Amino acid sequence: MILLASQSSGRLATLRAAGVEPLVRVSDVDEHAILRALAADSRTEPTPPQQVQALARAKAADVADTVTRSEREADPDLIVVGCDSMLEIGGRVVGKPETAAIARERWRSMRGRTGVLHSGHALVRVHDGAEAQGVSSTTVRFGSPADVEIDAYVATGEPLGCAGAFTIDGLGGAFIDGIDGDPHGVVGISLPLLRRLLAELDVTWTDLWTRT
């Protein structure tokens, strides 16, 4: 069984569409503190993949620590999956905009440009602490929506909780001209990468299917 350490509806929907029905438990790690610690421990500025990987691992470890003895006994093969995503564009790394004003300004600066969406993945097998990690990076080509379209999109609230202020699996999909790489990685959880990481922990992807 998979325990998804994320409140992302996109990640959950992606897993469900792929035949996997995970448990869900949201981590409460301080992301800013994790990134500060990463920067302090690094001789150079941490790269975007290093940042999302550190956050994904922290989230997975945090949720793994909350698993009770009875939950461990009920599923000795339980694996926690932590994820985190950031958009790299114009030499900057951006996460969730959080406010409408930031989302609006971000979209006006992104239109017509290309960025890379990095999604870190960290898996922890609860019973013995074994780990597997990896990063999915997908190039995103943004369209050029008019100001009125940006205002309408931001008003829906959808981009406020998304890395880079956009989605491809919702209302924002019409504003993305194309991608190069795994589309699931843009949603925040790369299915091909997840399958490979699970294999490192001796889990066969098809064994997780709840339907055929």
PDB file of all heavy atoms in Angstrom, residues 33-52:
ATOM      1  N   ALA A  33      12.271  26.236   6.389  1.00  0.00           N
ATOM      2  CA  ALA A  33      13.351  25.795   7.264  1.00  0.00           C
ATOM      3  C   ALA A  33      14.188  24.710   6.592  1.00  0.00           C
ATOM      4  O   ALA A  33      15.418  24.694   6.728  1.00  0.00           O
ATOM      5  CB  ALA A  33      12.784  25.286   8.583  1.00  0.00           C
ATOM      6  N   ILE A  34      13.533  23.824   5.863  1.00  0.00           N
ATOM      7  CA  ILE A  34      14.245  22.764   5.146  1.00  0.00           C
ATOM      8  C   ILE A  34      15.188  23.374   4.111  1.00  0.00           C
ATOM      9  O   ILE A  34      16.353  22.977   3.980  1.00  0.00           O
ATOM     10  CB  ILE A  34      13.258  21.812   4.456  1.00  0.00           C
ATOM     11  CG1 ILE A  34      12.376  21.088   5.488  1.00  0.00           C
ATOM     12  CG2 ILE A  34      14.001  20.796   3.586  1.00  0.00           C
ATOM     13  CD1 ILE A  34      13.134  20.215   6.440  1.00  0.00           C
ATOM     14  N   LEU A  35      14.706  24.347   3.370  1.00  0.00           N
ATOM     15  CA  LEU A  35      15.531  24.976   2.339  1.00  0.00           C
ATOM     16  C   LEU A  35      16.669  25.800   2.941  1.00  0.00           C
ATOM     17  O   LEU A  35      17.774  25.841   2.390  1.00  0.00           O
ATOM     18  CB  LEU A  35      14.664  25.847   1.431  1.00  0.00           C
ATOM     19  CG  LEU A  35      13.656  25.085   0.560  1.00  0.00           C
ATOM     20  CD1 LEU A  35      12.811  26.055  -0.260  1.00  0.00           C
ATOM     21  CD2 LEU A  35      14.360  24.087  -0.349  1.00  0.00           C
ATOM     22  N   ARG A  36      16.412  26.437   4.080  1.00  0.00           N
ATOM     23  CA  ARG A  36      17.487  27.180   4.751  1.00  0.00           C
ATOM     24  C   ARG A  36      18.586  26.226   5.211  1.00  0.00           C
ATOM     25  O   ARG A  36      19.777  26.511   5.062  1.00  0.00           O
ATOM     26  CB  ARG A  36      16.934  27.972   5.942  1.00  0.00           C
ATOM     27  CG  ARG A  36      16.147  29.219   5.554  1.00  0.00           C
ATOM     28  CD  ARG A  36      15.955  30.136   6.748  1.00  0.00           C
ATOM     29  NE  ARG A  36      15.211  29.492   7.821  1.00  0.00           N
ATOM     30  CZ  ARG A  36      13.889  29.534   7.947  1.00  0.00           C
ATOM     31  NH1 ARG A  36      13.158  30.206   7.049  1.00  0.00           N
ATOM     32  NH2 ARG A  36      13.282  28.937   8.954  1.00  0.00           N
ATOM     33  N   ALA A  37      18.175  25.085   5.762  1.00  0.00           N
ATOM     34  CA  ALA A  37      19.148  24.102   6.226  1.00  0.00           C
ATOM     35  C   ALA A  37      19.942  23.533   5.061  1.00  0.00           C
ATOM     36  O   ALA A  37      21.154  23.310   5.160  1.00  0.00           O
ATOM     37  CB  ALA A  37      18.439  22.983   6.990  1.00  0.00           C
ATOM     38  N   LEU A  38      19.260  23.294   3.937  1.00  0.00           N
ATOM     39  CA  LEU A  38      19.938  22.770   2.750  1.00  0.00           C
ATOM     40  C   LEU A  38      20.985  23.761   2.262  1.00  0.00           C
ATOM     41  O   LEU A  38      22.117  23.379   1.934  1.00  0.00           O
ATOM     42  CB  LEU A  38      18.916  22.494   1.646  1.00  0.00           C
ATOM     43  CG  LEU A  38      19.478  21.997   0.304  1.00  0.00           C
ATOM     44  CD1 LEU A  38      20.117  20.628   0.464  1.00  0.00           C
ATOM     45  CD2 LEU A  38      18.361  21.947  -0.745  1.00  0.00           C
ATOM     46  N   ALA A  39      20.618  25.029   2.228  1.00  0.00           N
ATOM     47  CA  ALA A  39      21.555  26.056   1.769  1.00  0.00           C
ATOM     48  C   ALA A  39      22.745  26.179   2.716  1.00  0.00           C
ATOM     49  O   ALA A  39      23.892  26.363   2.280  1.00  0.00           O
ATOM     50  CB  ALA A  39      20.837  27.401   1.647  1.00  0.00           C
ATOM     51  N   ALA A  40      22.485  26.051   4.020  1.00  0.00           N
ATOM     52  CA  ALA A  40      23.564  26.170   5.000  1.00  0.00           C
ATOM     53  C   ALA A  40      24.548  25.012   4.889  1.00  0.00           C
ATOM     54  O   ALA A  40      25.746  25.178   5.152  1.00  0.00           O
ATOM     55  CB  ALA A  40      22.979  26.228   6.407  1.00  0.00           C
ATOM     56  N   ASP A  41      24.047  23.848   4.487  1.00  0.00           N
ATOM     57  CA  ASP A  41      24.888  22.651   4.383  1.00  0.00           C
ATOM     58  C   ASP A  41      25.604  22.541   3.044  1.00  0.00           C
ATOM     59  O   ASP A  41      26.443  21.655   2.861  1.00  0.00           O
ATOM     60  CB  ASP A  41      24.050  21.381   4.601  1.00  0.00           C
ATOM     61  CG  ASP A  41      23.565  21.257   6.038  1.00  0.00           C
ATOM     62  OD1 ASP A  41      24.161  21.907   6.920  1.00  0.00           O
ATOM     63  OD2 ASP A  41      22.595  20.507   6.266  1.00  0.00           O
ATOM     64  N   SER A  42      25.250  23.406   2.107  1.00  0.00           N
ATOM     65  CA  SER A  42      25.806  23.312   0.760  1.00  0.00           C
ATOM     66  C   SER A  42      26.914  24.332   0.558  1.00  0.00           C
ATOM     67  O   SER A  42      26.836  25.471   1.048  1.00  0.00           O
ATOM     68  CB  SER A  42      24.718  23.542  -0.292  1.00  0.00           C
ATOM     69  OG  SER A  42      23.662  22.603  -0.142  1.00  0.00           O
ATOM     70  N   ARG A  43      27.943  23.947  -0.180  1.00  0.00           N
ATOM     71  CA  ARG A  43      29.030  24.863  -0.493  1.00  0.00           C
ATOM     72  C   ARG A  43      28.627  25.844  -1.589  1.00  0.00           C
ATOM     73  O   ARG A  43      29.180  26.938  -1.692  1.00  0.00           O
ATOM     74  CB  ARG A  43      30.264  24.069  -0.924  1.00  0.00           C
ATOM     75  CG  ARG A  43      30.857  23.203   0.183  1.00  0.00           C
ATOM     76  CD  ARG A  43      32.108  22.482  -0.293  1.00  0.00           C
ATOM     77  NE  ARG A  43      32.692  21.667   0.754  1.00  0.00           N
ATOM     78  CZ  ARG A  43      33.770  20.901   0.601  1.00  0.00           C
ATOM     79  NH1 ARG A  43      34.382  20.871  -0.583  1.00  0.00           N
ATOM     80  NH2 ARG A  43      34.232  20.189   1.608  1.00  0.00           N
ATOM     81  N   THR A  44      27.685  25.424  -2.418  1.00  0.00           N
ATOM     82  CA  THR A  44      27.167  26.284  -3.477  1.00  0.00           C
ATOM     83  C   THR A  44      25.652  26.358  -3.350  1.00  0.00           C
ATOM     84  O   THR A  44      25.035  25.592  -2.604  1.00  0.00           O
ATOM     85  CB  THR A  44      27.540  25.743  -4.867  1.00  0.00           C
ATOM     86  OG1 THR A  44      26.993  24.416  -5.024  1.00  0.00           O
ATOM     87  CG2 THR A  44      29.053  25.685  -5.041  1.00  0.00           C
ATOM     88  N   GLU A  45      25.046  27.270  -4.093  1.00  0.00           N
ATOM     89  CA  GLU A  45      23.589  27.418  -4.076  1.00  0.00           C
ATOM     90  C   GLU A  45      22.932  26.121  -4.527  1.00  0.00           C
ATOM     91  O   GLU A  45      23.255  25.595  -5.599  1.00  0.00           O
ATOM     92  CB  GLU A  45      23.172  28.551  -5.016  1.00  0.00           C
ATOM     93  CG  GLU A  45      21.685  28.822  -5.054  1.00  0.00           C
ATOM     94  CD  GLU A  45      21.170  29.454  -3.780  1.00  0.00           C
ATOM     95  OE1 GLU A  45      21.998  30.006  -3.023  1.00  0.00           O
ATOM     96  OE2 GLU A  45      19.958  29.402  -3.546  1.00  0.00           O
ATOM     97  N   PRO A  46      22.030  25.553  -3.718  1.00  0.00           N
ATOM     98  CA  PRO A  46      21.370  24.301  -4.111  1.00  0.00           C
ATOM     99  C   PRO A  46      20.617  24.468  -5.427  1.00  0.00           C
ATOM    100  O   PRO A  46      19.964  25.485  -5.654  1.00  0.00           O
ATOM    101  CB  PRO A  46      20.404  24.032  -2.956  1.00  0.00           C
ATOM    102  CG  PRO A  46      20.977  24.779  -1.796  1.00  0.00           C
ATOM    103  CD  PRO A  46      21.603  26.002  -2.384  1.00  0.00           C
ATOM    104  N   THR A  47      20.722  23.491  -6.296  1.00  0.00           N
ATOM    105  CA  THR A  47      20.019  23.529  -7.571  1.00  0.00           C
ATOM    106  C   THR A  47      18.532  23.274  -7.345  1.00  0.00           C
ATOM    107  O   THR A  47      18.140  22.720  -6.305  1.00  0.00           O
ATOM    108  CB  THR A  47      20.573  22.468  -8.526  1.00  0.00           C
ATOM    109  OG1 THR A  47      20.283  21.159  -7.981  1.00  0.00           O
ATOM    110  CG2 THR A  47      22.071  22.635  -8.720  1.00  0.00           C
ATOM    111  N   PRO A  48      17.678  23.636  -8.301  1.00  0.00           N
ATOM    112  CA  PRO A  48      16.250  23.333  -8.160  1.00  0.00           C
ATOM    113  C   PRO A  48      15.983  21.844  -7.921  1.00  0.00           C
ATOM    114  O   PRO A  48      15.170  21.507  -7.038  1.00  0.00           O
ATOM    115  CB  PRO A  48      15.660  23.832  -9.476  1.00  0.00           C
ATOM    116  CG  PRO A  48      16.560  24.952  -9.882  1.00  0.00           C
ATOM    117  CD  PRO A  48      17.938  24.500  -9.481  1.00  0.00           C
ATOM    118  N   PRO A  49      16.624  20.914  -8.661  1.00  0.00           N
ATOM    119  CA  PRO A  49      16.393  19.493  -8.344  1.00  0.00           C
ATOM    120  C   PRO A  49      16.789  19.123  -6.917  1.00  0.00           C
ATOM    121  O   PRO A  49      16.101  18.320  -6.259  1.00  0.00           O
ATOM    122  CB  PRO A  49      17.258  18.758  -9.379  1.00  0.00           C
ATOM    123  CG  PRO A  49      17.320  19.687 -10.540  1.00  0.00           C
ATOM    124  CD  PRO A  49      17.414  21.052  -9.909  1.00  0.00           C
ATOM    125  N   GLN A  50      17.876  19.698  -6.423  1.00  0.00           N
ATOM    126  CA  GLN A  50      18.283  19.420  -5.045  1.00  0.00           C
ATOM    127  C   GLN A  50      17.259  19.957  -4.051  1.00  0.00           C
ATOM    128  O   GLN A  50      16.985  19.316  -3.019  1.00  0.00           O
ATOM    129  CB  GLN A  50      19.659  20.045  -4.774  1.00  0.00           C
ATOM    130  CG  GLN A  50      20.802  19.339  -5.469  1.00  0.00           C
ATOM    131  CD  GLN A  50      22.126  20.083  -5.334  1.00  0.00           C
ATOM    132  OE1 GLN A  50      22.162  21.317  -5.218  1.00  0.00           O
ATOM    133  NE2 GLN A  50      23.222  19.346  -5.342  1.00  0.00           N
ATOM    134  N   GLN A  51      16.683  21.104  -4.357  1.00  0.00           N
ATOM    135  CA  GLN A  51      15.690  21.692  -3.456  1.00  0.00           C
ATOM    136  C   GLN A  51      14.420  20.851  -3.384  1.00  0.00           C
ATOM    137  O   GLN A  51      13.926  20.544  -2.288  1.00  0.00           O
ATOM    138  CB  GLN A  51      15.359  23.118  -3.913  1.00  0.00           C
ATOM    139  CG  GLN A  51      16.507  24.099  -3.745  1.00  0.00           C
ATOM    140  CD  GLN A  51      16.133  25.492  -4.208  1.00  0.00           C
ATOM    141  OE1 GLN A  51      15.146  26.078  -3.752  1.00  0.00           O
ATOM    142  NE2 GLN A  51      16.904  26.039  -5.133  1.00  0.00           N
ATOM    143  N   VAL A  52      13.886  20.457  -4.543  1.00  0.00           N
ATOM    144  CA  VAL A  52      12.647  19.670  -4.515  1.00  0.00           C
ATOM    145  C   VAL A  52      12.900  18.289  -3.931  1.00  0.00           C
ATOM    146  O   VAL A  52      12.021  17.705  -3.281  1.00  0.00           O
ATOM    147  CB  VAL A  52      11.996  19.557  -5.914  1.00  0.00           C
ATOM    148  CG1 VAL A  52      11.502  20.915  -6.383  1.00  0.00           C
ATOM    149  CG2 VAL A  52      12.923  18.926  -6.934  1.00  0.00           C
TER     150      VAL A  52
END
